[in-house]
Amino acid sequence: MRNARDLDGRMILPRERLDALGEVLRLRAETMEAGNLPYPEDWPLPLCPECHGAVQKWISGSGDGLPTSYWFSPCGHGIVADRP
C-alpha cells in the first residue's frame, strides 16, 4: 500500500503517530538540555519514517502550538499530520 502525500510531497501520517514522534523528540531535547545525555549517540534521533535512514536533524512546523509537520535532514523527506 502506498502512503498518501500532501501537495509538498510529505507523507501523511495519523495525528497520533506524529504526536508520538514529537514527544520522543521533546523528551530527548529536555534530557540533553538538563545535561543528562552526555553522549547523544546513546539516544539517537528516530529514523526517517519514509526511507528509514539515519536523521541528523528534525525540523518541525507548528500550528496552534503543536507540531503538524516535520522535515528531515539530510534525506529531505517530510511528514505531515492527517489533521490539525
Side-chain angles (χ1 to χ4, degrees):
M1 181 174 112
R2 295 203 44 98
N3 292 314
R5 300 194 178 278
D6 72 353
L7 295 176
D8 291 326
R10 297 174 294 190
M11 200 166 56
I12 299 172
L13 296 176
R15 179 76 220 191
E16 295 79 14
R17 183 163 177 211
L18 196 88
D19 288 346
L21 288 168
E23 184 65 11
V24 168
L25 296 173
R26 185 188 65 76
L27 289 171
R28 184 180 184 276
E30 286 178 3
T31 302
M32 284 183 72
E33 289 169 10
N36 295 328
L37 191 61
Y39 303 102
E41 60 273 7
D42 291 342
W43 190 356
L45 288 168
L47 300 176
C48 171
E50 184 165 346
C51 68
H52 305 289
V55 173
Q56 294 174 358
K57 187 174 186 179
W58 283 56
I59 304 163
S60 66
S62 297
D64 296 326
L66 293 172
T68 55
S69 64
Y70 290 98
W71 288 98
F72 315 111
S73 174
C75 66
H77 294 126
I79 57 175
V80 64
D82 61 354
R83 62 188 183 283

